[in-house]
Amino acid sequence: MSPFRATPPITTDWEHFEFTVDDGVATVTLDRPEKLNALTFDSYADLRDLLAELPHRGDVRVLVITGRGRGFCSGGDVEEIIGELQKMESAELLEFTRMTGAVVKALRECPIPVIAAVNGVAAGAGSVIALASDFRLLASSAKFAFLFTKVGLAGADMGSAYLLPRLVGLGRATELLMLGDKIDAARAEAIGLASQVVPDSDLASSASALARRLADGPALAYSTTKVLLTRELDMDLGSSIELEAITQALLMTAKDHGEFYAAWTAGRSPRWTGR
């Protein structure tokens, strides 16, 4: 556990989704298959809080997010969230929208690689959770739908209008966020939304293989790369080059860089420690 963790203990039991850790690989399984893993107020809050805790646990090098059953995540539950939102005043509504956005902010700022293993539909908030992940592995039957305009809300929600154009370009992002139509896995891969598309039967093993590769690799280098990719999105070139220069000089003192040279000299594979 991180020495900089304060008094509150690390949470060991998450009520609103399944959470496991196995040899450096954490897995969140959204577990409401009867509702295509639709999110509730509580599951949003738990995701936000889990992502804040992960860097302090000390036993997680990569996070996999997936859904149980036929869907990844169909977005916010219509009855449990949208119905309740009709009763709220503006201040409460703003508190809710800030909470949902905090999930995406935490996904991008968590210094741990995140893999979305998308089985079936990723719609609404589910599509943005996948979008905010570092890798999107799609089953061939998977579909994306940024549904916000379909329910009379702005297509720009939870950071989608910031993230999606940077991934697929402004024109395609405009189409996806404004029209809200479903796109299949093949098109998602063609426009750069999917990192990889695999047969449905191979999704779990493909996600596991990628997670294992990340967990067994130079974790500090992976973490730093993610942090720089996020921070440099809005920097000018000179600022980016200076930040990267400082970062590389720091990592040149890390144990993993020294281990690479020792392994190269000895003609063996590096034994990465993430330090």
Side-chain angles (χ1 to χ4, degrees):
M1 188 180 298
S2 168
F4 305 111
R5 178 69 178 180
T7 302
I10 294 292
T11 307
T12 57
D13 184 24
W14 295 91
E15 182 179 350
H16 301 288
F17 44 72
E18 181 181 301
F19 177 73
T20 60
V21 179
D22 181 19
D23 194 18
V25 178
T27 302
V28 165
T29 304
L30 302 176
D31 196 14
R32 302 180 76 211
E34 73 283 359
K35 293 202 172 184
L36 295 178
N37 302 312
L39 298 169
T40 64
F41 293 119
D42 290 332
S43 55
Y44 271 120
D46 269 3
L47 280 170
R48 175 200 60 197
D49 295 344
L50 170 66
L51 290 162
E53 284 193 9
L54 280 183
H56 302 288
R57 289 181 57 99
D59 62 347
V60 174
R61 292 190 173 191
V62 59
L63 171 65
V64 178
I65 303 176
T66 193
R68 191 174 308 284
R70 298 181 297 110
F72 176 74
C73 175
S74 59
D77 189 293
V78 174
E79 295 175 353
E80 294 194 31
I81 289 186
I82 297 180
E84 290 300 311
L85 295 179
Q86 308 303 304
K87 309 170 188 177
M88 293 183 184
E89 300 293 336
S90 296
E92 292 177 291
L93 293 170
L94 181 57
E95 185 177 359
F96 167 70
T97 53
R98 282 176 171 163
M99 177 178 72
T100 64
V103 174
V104 171
K105 186 171 183 286
L107 277 167
R108 293 309 314 147
E109 295 190 347
C110 179
I112 293 170
V114 179
I115 301 167
V118 183
N119 53 308
V121 67
S127 64
V128 187
I129 288 171
L131 171 64
S133 300
D134 300 296
F135 301 90
R136 285 160 299 282
L137 300 187
L138 271 60
S140 56
S141 64
K143 290 180 173 60
F144 269 88
F146 296 87
L147 290 175
F148 305 109
T149 61
K150 298 283 190 179
V151 300
L153 297 175
D157 192 26
M158 297 173 64
S160 58
Y162 179 90
L163 293 170
L164 192 58
R166 287 163 168 79
L167 196 63
V168 304
L170 178 60
R172 290 191 176 100
T174 301
E175 173 194 345
L176 296 179
L177 295 181
M178 196 171 291
L179 299 180
D181 293 337
K182 287 184 180 179
I183 63 168
D184 61 21
R187 182 156 190 246
E189 185 174 37
I191 65 176
L193 183 54
S195 306
Q196 184 182 1
V197 175
V198 299
D200 287 20
S201 59
D202 293 346
L203 180 64
S205 60
S206 296
S208 178
L210 177 56
R212 186 76 269 141
R213 176 179 177 182
L214 291 165
D216 290 344
L220 182 60
Y222 293 153
S223 171
T224 306
T225 301
K226 175 175 180 174
V227 169
L228 292 186
L229 283 167
T230 300
R231 295 302 176 200
E232 291 184 39
L233 283 172
D234 301 310
M235 286 185 179
D236 59 76
L237 178 60
S239 299
S240 293
I241 289 173
E242 179 64 11
L243 179 59
E244 291 180 7
I246 293 170
T247 303
Q248 290 294 58
L250 177 63
L251 263 64
M252 287 172 184
T253 69
K255 291 182 180 179
D256 273 352
H257 185 60
E259 166 61 13
F260 160 76
Y261 185 71
W264 181 82
T265 302
R268 59 172 175 82
S269 297
R271 294 186 285 267
W272 307 114
T273 63
R275 296 288 185 268

